[in-house]
């Protein structure tokens, strides 16, 4: 699938402006859409939208479900306007300086997840109880219709979250045996016993779904499409693995036999991610039904999707679950062309971007090219002193998506400040710059490239250094917290980006 020559901005919804300590799907999201409109951008890229697992630092790449939405993104103001919350039940953000509120520990500049989770879930439970009291017949019918339409994943997800609370948040593999192995009688008993908690989780998903669809419609009205993100793996502690164990490589006790990661490489000892790997042979026997269901839900929410760790569809590194050493793993064959043929047969298109950074072997490249999927290029990976280096923007091919930085890299300014003198001098020479506004130099270089799609981040547009970095891979503390303020979505930045976009015919 090829994009037209276009450009956009990567900003995860948690980083949007908003009054309740975290970006949400309300007024701050509309402000960002207005910014994109003024900046003449046609793509909004987001990270995965699922309900994050707190013990993983609320990474959107570790979620309780590959189908559900994150309730922390729900706009509480909308719920008040619908009569589900009183005005005095809406938490205040904090003072005008942006310092955390004394009571709520909210900040305009970063997310304090513990405080946000406590306050938001409390307000959402209040809204659910009020919904049951005051909702109109039409609202009740809409809620029931959503539960029926999404029942294939929603029923299991809502029960899973209710059971997580019932068992004090323990990993599902440690639950009592009848529940862990999904004995039908045990599940039926718990559905009755935990009916209120199950209904609450379904209400949160209905609310998220309604608000997201409204936001996406507003984006479409402005000519903005959503580029989402699909992690290849799901978290072990998820409704996905609990509800569909047959899709994964599990042992006789329902626990992972092997987990995902990457092998040791020059200069590192590899990584053990811990996600269960798939039983691709069994999935193939079903025509990849579980994956098609997952993609069907994804394409209900976004227009395109970045395939995280594209290498894993060609071959994947499987580490014995009882080993902590990535070197103990082995390469196993992925689903390859058969999987993408099944997807194309189901959806008639392959609206994907292949995340192929760091895995550029001939087999993976061949798989990507066979289905005409654009890869990725990031100038932060460039050797500026090597003539013709593939990550220098002037050498990008058309069939790629080019970024000034990503959610996993440093900001453009942080990257530049970390360069050694020789690389910095070579960068100056190649880009014809003195580096004073390196963030805009990289925007212009990426926008001028042949890449079919060019993407930058709000951090780079604002010229922020490493303090605004969104995520540092391999760490769990201090990530996914940065937020843009309303002041950051200003006309000067939008107009400058619009001029570059116009000049580069994007």
């Amino acid at each position: 699938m090829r994009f037209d020559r276009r450009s956009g901005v990567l900003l995860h919804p948690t980083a949007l402006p908003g009054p309740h300590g975290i970006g949400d799907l309300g007024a701050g999201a509309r402000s960002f859409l207005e910014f994109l409109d003024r900046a003449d951008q046609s793509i909004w890229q987001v990270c995965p939208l699922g309900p994050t697992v707190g013990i993983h630092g609320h990474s959107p790449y570790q979620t309780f479900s590959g189908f559900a939405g994150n309730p922390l993104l729900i706009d509480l103001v909308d719920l008040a306007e619908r009569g589900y919350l009183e005005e005095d039940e809406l938490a205040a953000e904090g003072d005008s300086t942006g310092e955390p509120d004394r009571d709520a520990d909210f900040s305009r500049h970063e997310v304090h997840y513990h405080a946000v989770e406590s306050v938001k879930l409390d307000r959402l439970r209040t809204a659910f109880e009020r919904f049951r009291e005051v909702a109109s017949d039409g609202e009740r019918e809409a809620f029931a219709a959503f539960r029926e339409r999404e029942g294939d994943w929603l029923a299991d997800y809502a029960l899973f979250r209710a059971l997580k609370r019932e068992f004090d948040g323990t990993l599902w593999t440690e639950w009592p045996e009848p529940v862990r192995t999904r004995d039908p009688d045990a599940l039926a008993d718990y559905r009755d016993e935990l009916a209120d908690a199950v209904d609450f989780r379904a209400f949160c998903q209905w609310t998220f779904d309604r608000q997201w669809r409204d936001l996406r419609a507003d984006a479409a009205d402005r000519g903005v499409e959503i580029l989402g993100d699909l992690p290849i793996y799901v978290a072990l502690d998820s409704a996905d693995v609990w509800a569909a164990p047959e899709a994964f490589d599990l042992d006789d006790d329902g626990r992972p036999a092997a987990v995902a990661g990457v092998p040791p490489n020059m200069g590192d000892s590899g990584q053990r991610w811990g996600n269960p790997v798939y039983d691709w042979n069994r999935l193939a026997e079903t025509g990849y039904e579980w994956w098609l269901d997952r993609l069907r839900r994804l394409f209900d929410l976004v227009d395109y999707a970045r395939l995280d760790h594209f290498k894993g569809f060609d071959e994947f590194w499987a580490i014995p679950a009882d080993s902590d050493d990535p070197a103990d793993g082995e390469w196993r064959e992925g689903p390859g062309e058969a999987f993408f043929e099944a997807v194309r047969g189901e959806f008639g298109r392959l609206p994907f971007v292949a995340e192929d950074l760091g895995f550029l072997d001939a087999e993976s490249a061949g798989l990507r090219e066979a289905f005409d999927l654009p890869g990725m290029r990031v100038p932060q990976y460039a050797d500026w002193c090597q003539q013709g280096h593939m990550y220098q923007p002037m050498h990008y091919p058309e069939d790629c998506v080019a970024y000034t930085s990503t959610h996993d890299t440093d900001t453009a300014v942080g990257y530049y400040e970390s360069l050694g003198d020789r690389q910095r001098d070579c960068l100056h020479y190649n880009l014809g710059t003195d580096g004073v506004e390196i963030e805009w130099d990289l925007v212009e270089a990426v926008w001028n490239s042949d890449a079919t799609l060019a993407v930058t981040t709000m951090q780079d547009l604002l010229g922020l250094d490493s303090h605004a970095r969104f995520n540092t891979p391999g760490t769990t503390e201090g990530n996914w917290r940065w937020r843009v303020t309303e002041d950051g979505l200003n006309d000067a930045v939008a107009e400058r980006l619009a001029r570059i976009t116009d000049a580069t015919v994007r």
Side-chain angles (χ1 to χ4, degrees), residues 369-383:
E369 292 167 1
F371 293 93
D372 206 22
L373 306 181
M376 289 176 59
R377 295 288 189 276
V378 185
Q380 295 191 28
Y381 296 159
D383 182 340

Side-chain angles (χ1 to χ4, degrees), residues 275-296:
N275 308 76
V277 299
Y278 295 102
D279 186 337
W280 283 113
N281 291 330
R282 189 179 301 181
L283 284 165
E285 293 171 0
T286 69
Y288 305 102
E289 181 180 3
W290 182 88
W291 265 92
L292 295 180
D293 288 343
R294 186 184 182 194
L295 291 170
R296 195 172 293 111

Side-chain angles (χ1 to χ4, degrees), residues 455-473:
V455 180
T456 188
T457 66
M458 277 309 307
Q459 292 98 316
D460 287 350
L461 292 176
L462 296 173
L464 301 179
D465 61 19
S466 297
H467 87 277
R469 180 172 181 157
F470 212 37
N471 179 54
T472 302

Side-chain angles (χ1 to χ4, degrees), residues 265-498:
N265 211 335
M266 186 178 300
D268 67 52
S269 56
Q271 297 178 34
R272 184 188 188 278
W273 299 334
N275 308 76
V277 299
Y278 295 102
D279 186 337
W280 283 113
N281 291 330
R282 189 179 301 181
L283 284 165
E285 293 171 0
T286 69
Y288 305 102
E289 181 180 3
W290 182 88
W291 265 92
L292 295 180
D293 288 343
R294 186 184 182 194
L295 291 170
R296 195 172 293 111
R297 173 60 177 164
L298 178 69
F299 294 141
D300 267 352
L301 301 176
V302 302
D303 298 290
Y304 313 99
R306 169 187 172 273
L307 291 179
D308 191 45
H309 193 55
F310 181 76
K311 169 68 174 175
F313 292 101
D314 170 47
E315 60 178 355
F316 60 97
W317 191 249
I319 305 166
D322 58 2
S323 173
D324 292 327
D325 186 356
D328 289 339
E330 63 178 5
W331 285 112
R332 295 183 184 175
E333 187 176 353
E337 292 190 6
F339 172 77
F340 290 101
E341 292 287 6
V343 175
R344 185 160 57 188
E346 179 70 18
F347 298 102
R349 61 181 190 135
L350 294 171
F352 298 126
V353 173
E355 188 275 294
D356 56 354
L357 300 171
F359 295 100
L360 299 173
D361 56 274
E363 291 78 13
S364 294
L367 180 62
R368 180 182 65 78
E369 292 167 1
F371 293 93
D372 206 22
L373 306 181
M376 289 176 59
R377 295 288 189 276
V378 185
Q380 295 191 28
Y381 296 159
D383 182 340
W384 295 100
C385 300
Q386 179 182 324
Q387 186 174 1
H389 193 270
M390 62 178 293
Y391 286 115
Q392 295 173 6
M394 63 285 287
H395 302 300
Y396 291 168
E398 183 181 349
D399 66 334
C400 77
V401 180
Y403 294 80
T404 59
S405 61
T406 74
H407 66 277
D408 273 343
T409 71
D410 206 338
T411 65
V413 170
Y415 158 74
Y416 178 75
E417 291 176 344
S418 71
L419 282 177
D421 291 342
R422 183 168 180 268
Q423 282 290 318
R424 188 179 294 119
D425 288 344
C426 291
L427 181 154
H428 291 168
Y429 174 81
N430 276 285
L431 297 187
T433 179
D434 60 6
V436 171
E437 287 189 303
I438 189 60
E439 66 277 11
W440 286 107
D441 295 330
L442 287 173
V443 168
E444 290 194 21
V446 165
W447 258 240
N448 269 304
S449 75
D450 288 339
T452 186
L453 179 60
V455 180
T456 188
T457 66
M458 277 309 307
Q459 292 98 316
D460 287 350
L461 292 176
L462 296 173
L464 301 179
D465 61 19
S466 297
H467 87 277
R469 180 172 181 157
F470 212 37
N471 179 54
T472 302
T475 68
T476 58
E477 298 296 326
N479 297 320
W480 314 108
R481 297 181 64 168
W482 180 84
R483 299 178 68 196
V484 67
T485 65
E486 287 279 359
D487 294 341
L489 303 176
N490 62 73
D491 288 340
V493 172
E495 290 167 3
R496 186 168 183 177
L497 184 57

